[in-house]
Amino acid sequence: MTIENHLVDALRYSVDLAGKEQKIITNKEGKEFYDSQQFTLRELEPIKYANHLEVSSLTAVLSYISANVDEITKNKIVLHVESPTSVKLFTELNVDRKRELLLVAKPLLPTFNYGRWYDSEQFNISLQASFIKAEDRDLLIKFSSAIRIDNSSDLIDDGVSQTTKIQNGVASLGNAKAPNPVTLKPYRTFLEVDQPDSQFIYRLNKEGESALFEADGGKWRSEAIQNVAKFLNDNLSAVQEELDFIVLA
């Protein structure tokens, strides 16, 4: 390669560098940006956002607001009840038309798998651990504990109701109709509020296993969200009389 060719390559490289030069651009609000790649602007000093906190109760949300450690009461705050198991606390819009997420609350709840088949022992333990004590819950525990299915003919199913053998005493057996539908109150939202009750379909299979199927069309979710919103509205007014807030549900 000749000296002339080297000079041509060097000039071309210089032209390319000039075209890729990172230029500082200032908008009419005084914010400065640099062109990281041609036509891609990045702000030099963007607004900084804190990492949000995560808590597991509505009581913790109230404690955070009342303590005012981050001086959030200077501004309007937005509490968004996203679902029965999620509440988020935002600041009002800033100059960039963005909200800062400060806190997320998600309750710690027992797990029950609707539509899953449980053997008698698992079903009874789950009922006691995941549902509030109530008449239908106790009836289900008693019924499922007494089921005795030795062959497929021990279970009579007409598609709506089921009849099976149950243990009446130490040695006696009798037929009994499975309770259906049942009204239960599972732990499905924050423990500070009332747990909505719902109707469930109770079913048995030929192995004597039990399952619950939701039958309220998700109505409980709306009720739970309103319960959470009411709790926050009632308690925030007492915690901070001058607090400017809105609860969205």
Side-chain angles (χ1 to χ4, degrees), residues 62-74 240 243:
L62 299 178
S63 297
Y64 173 75
I65 294 172
S66 61
N68 198 28
V69 290
D70 296 324
E71 298 184 335
I72 61 172
T73 55
K74 289 182 177 180
Q240 288 284 345
L243 180 64

Side-chain angles (χ1 to χ4, degrees), residues 91-205:
T91 61
E92 61 185 338
L93 292 174
N94 60 25
V95 293
D96 285 340
R97 311 298 294 171
K98 294 180 180 179
R99 303 183 190 277
E100 183 173 11
L101 176 62
L102 298 177
L103 182 143
V104 175
K106 292 182 178 295
L108 302 175
L109 299 171
T111 300
F112 185 89
N113 295 313
Y114 301 103
R116 171 190 163 185
W117 298 102
Y118 290 86
D119 64 34
S120 178
E121 183 176 6
Q122 291 176 324
F123 188 67
N124 290 343
I125 291 172
S126 295
L127 280 177
Q128 294 178 69
S130 303
F131 295 78
I132 294 174
K133 181 176 175 60
E135 181 180 352
D136 279 3
R137 189 206 71 163
D138 294 345
L139 179 62
L140 274 182
I141 292 173
K142 183 177 180 180
F143 181 86
S144 62
S145 299
I147 294 170
R148 296 294 181 270
I149 296 181
D150 297 321
N151 56 67
S152 59
S153 63
D154 290 338
L155 178 63
I156 303 171
D157 189 347
D158 64 7
V160 177
S161 61
Q162 295 176 300
T163 302
T164 187
K165 286 184 178 179
I166 64 168
Q167 187 85 37
N168 288 325
V170 175
S172 61
L173 290 174
N175 289 333
K177 188 175 181 179
N180 198 28
V182 290
T183 301
L184 302 171
K185 297 183 74 169
Y187 292 106
R188 294 180 289 189
T189 186
F190 292 90
L191 301 182
E192 291 94 337
V193 303
D194 184 43
Q195 304 294 316
D197 58 21
S198 298
Q199 282 204 326
F200 295 87
I201 303 300
Y202 172 64
R203 299 290 290 173
L204 290 166
N205 65 15

Side-chain angles (χ1 to χ4, degrees), residues 34 42 46 51 110 125 186 236 240:
Y34 72 94
R42 294 188 181 179
N51 292 327
I125 291 172
L236 281 175
Q240 288 284 345

